[in-house]
Amino acid sequence: MTKYRAAIVGLTGIGAGRSALAPSPALGPLMPHSHAGGYAHNGVEVVAVCDLRPELIEDFRRRWGDVWPDVRGYSDYRRLLADEHIDLLSVATPDHRHAQIVVDATEAGVRGIFCEKPIATTIADADRMIAACADRGIPLQVDHTRRWYPDYVTAKRIMQSGEIGPLCRIVATLSGPRAMLFRNGTHLVDAVCYFADADPISVAGLLDDEHADYGPRYQGDGGHDPAEDPGGSALVCFANGVRAFINASKRTMRHFELELWAEHGRIRLGADSSDIARLEPGDRHSITPLPRNYSTRSDLAAAVAELIGLVENGSVGTSTGEDGRRTLSIILGLLQSNAAGGTPIRFPIADA
């Protein structure tokens, strides 16, 4: 079995967090929800980490020292890339700092890249990231984690099977203080794209009132302050006729939910439970829990396992750079539509 060497740039919770143990050893490990946890779950050796804050490097060593006692710390990712022979690289820096790190990593010989969402905050940055990886045949995964949630994978299989008819409409809701379009809203928009399974052709929408004058371009601080990242509502039309109603508002109760409306049924993917409604004879309907299969991987553990497979086999991943670009283009289109008073913006989207 090949032993892969990894590095993590950016040591916030999603980069460096460690899950608690399961309540009983017989149950095995809990699924990790961090890049470091995903590597540990898959037997990958993290040989180096990088952050501008020395205290986060020391925190990483304390948290993970029993797993990787010899991990080396850097404050400059370029020095890390020059000094270390890295197979897999995680980029978990602020939202607007991903692009150059990814490009430099491709030139340093990294074999696979796992980039936090959103892929970038401009189309130009997303395009150069995708091009740099494509030129060297390097797989680029974007951490839109719901593509590796068991319920979402089950729902996608049901929709593709035609069991409840073709998908027609999607209602997507994200609410609460962190309903930030770029930081958390990107998960919501990407989940919509995952199920719509077609290119968007137009987006129309408005930002929440407190960000009505936000402007047509990204103006945030990389995701640190929720007040700098707007919420908003949008109608997105896709080339296959699917329409999505997206609501990401900080003023309402915290929640994350998708409703997939088809000709003969509806699937609801909730934060705590999921169910499926089927149209029955006599225009009645039944509601049952979504079929749930137990699995040994999900979320970031599954993403890292898939990235390793992409490095070895060269197949197409579940969450590619192109997928990340599509999601970003919808969010930027929403900003542009808001700046134009809610006027629909047609695709392809360009930076304003």
Side-chain angles (χ1 to χ4, degrees):
M1 179 178 177
T2 303
K3 187 70 173 179
Y4 289 94
R5 294 163 55 86
I8 303 169
V9 180
L11 299 179
T12 57
I14 195 63
R18 187 166 185 178
S19 301
L21 296 175
S24 167
L27 298 177
L30 295 179
M31 285 298 101
H33 189 66
S34 72
H35 291 249
Y39 288 130
H41 189 86
N42 286 281
V44 175
E45 182 183 7
V46 173
V47 299
V49 295
C50 178
D51 202 281
L52 295 175
R53 292 165 290 181
E55 65 272 18
L56 292 187
I57 296 174
E58 291 308 310
D59 284 346
F60 186 92
R61 288 187 172 123
R62 283 191 293 269
R63 188 177 295 130
W64 290 101
D66 61 318
V67 180
W68 304 301
D70 300 320
V71 67
R72 290 173 287 282
Y74 292 82
S75 60
D76 184 342
Y77 78 86
R78 295 177 182 86
R79 175 54 57 191
L80 183 156
L81 292 173
D83 288 353
E84 308 284 351
H85 177 67
I86 298 300
D87 299 304
L88 309 176
L89 179 72
S90 279
V91 180
T93 58
D95 303 345
H96 56 321
R97 303 296 187 194
H98 297 164
Q100 194 59 51
I101 300 173
V102 169
V103 172
D104 289 343
T106 65
E107 296 172 353
V110 168
R111 300 172 62 191
I113 298 174
F114 190 16
C115 182
E116 261 307 308
K117 49 71 191 167
I119 184 173
T121 54
T122 68
I123 297 295
D125 274 350
D127 283 345
R128 66 192 184 102
M129 294 165 71
I130 293 168
C133 290
D135 286 348
R136 294 169 175 82
I138 299 170
L140 171 63
Q141 291 267 61
V142 179
D143 185 24
H144 285 123
T145 52
R146 281 160 182 81
R147 290 176 178 251
W148 294 283
Y149 278 20
D151 280 0
Y152 280 64
V153 175
T154 296
K156 182 71 175 281
R157 176 187 56 77
I158 292 172
M159 297 309 305
Q160 289 177 327
S161 74
E163 178 181 331
I164 59 174
L167 179 64
C168 300
R169 299 291 184 266
I170 302 173
V171 180
T173 303
L174 169 65
S175 49
R178 294 189 65 79
M180 308 148 68
L181 282 173
F182 286 89
R183 175 47 62 105
N184 291 357
T186 182
H187 281 304
L188 189 73
V189 176
D190 183 75
V192 165
C193 292
Y194 177 60
F195 288 105
D197 203 19
D199 287 330
I201 58 175
S202 69
V203 55
L206 295 171
L207 299 180
D208 287 348
D209 291 345
E210 59 268 30
H211 285 103
D213 299 324
Y214 186 88
R217 291 172 292 279
Y218 178 77
Q219 299 177 26
D221 65 352
H224 296 295
D225 184 359
E228 300 298 319
D229 194 336
S233 304
L235 168 63
V236 184
C237 297
F238 291 88
N240 59 357
V242 172
R243 294 182 183 178
F245 305 92
I246 297 172
N247 291 288
S249 177
K250 301 175 186 178
R251 295 185 174 186
T252 50
M253 180 186 73
R254 181 177 177 179
H255 195 54
F256 192 111
E257 182 170 287
L258 255 70
E259 291 182 89
L260 311 173
W261 290 88
E263 186 174 351
H264 302 297
R266 183 270 300 145
I267 295 176
R268 182 185 66 86
L269 295 165
D272 301 311
S273 63
S274 302
D275 54 52
I276 180 169
R278 292 180 174 87
L279 186 64
E280 306 288 354
D283 204 31
R284 303 180 66 176
H285 68 270
S286 62
I287 300 178
T288 57
L290 191 72
R292 177 163 290 176
N293 296 313
Y294 293 101
S295 64
T296 58
R297 286 200 189 103
S298 67
D299 205 316
L300 279 86
V304 170
E306 183 174 287
L307 182 60
I308 292 170
L310 296 177
V311 168
E312 294 177 348
N313 304 318
S315 55
V316 177
T318 298
S319 183
T320 66
E322 288 79 6
D323 293 322
R325 185 191 191 278
R326 187 177 297 111
T327 294
L328 173 64
S329 69
I330 291 174
I331 296 173
L332 293 176
L334 171 53
L335 296 188
Q336 294 174 25
S337 176
N338 176 79
T343 300
I345 302 298
R346 303 286 298 184
F347 285 74
I349 298 291
D351 288 319

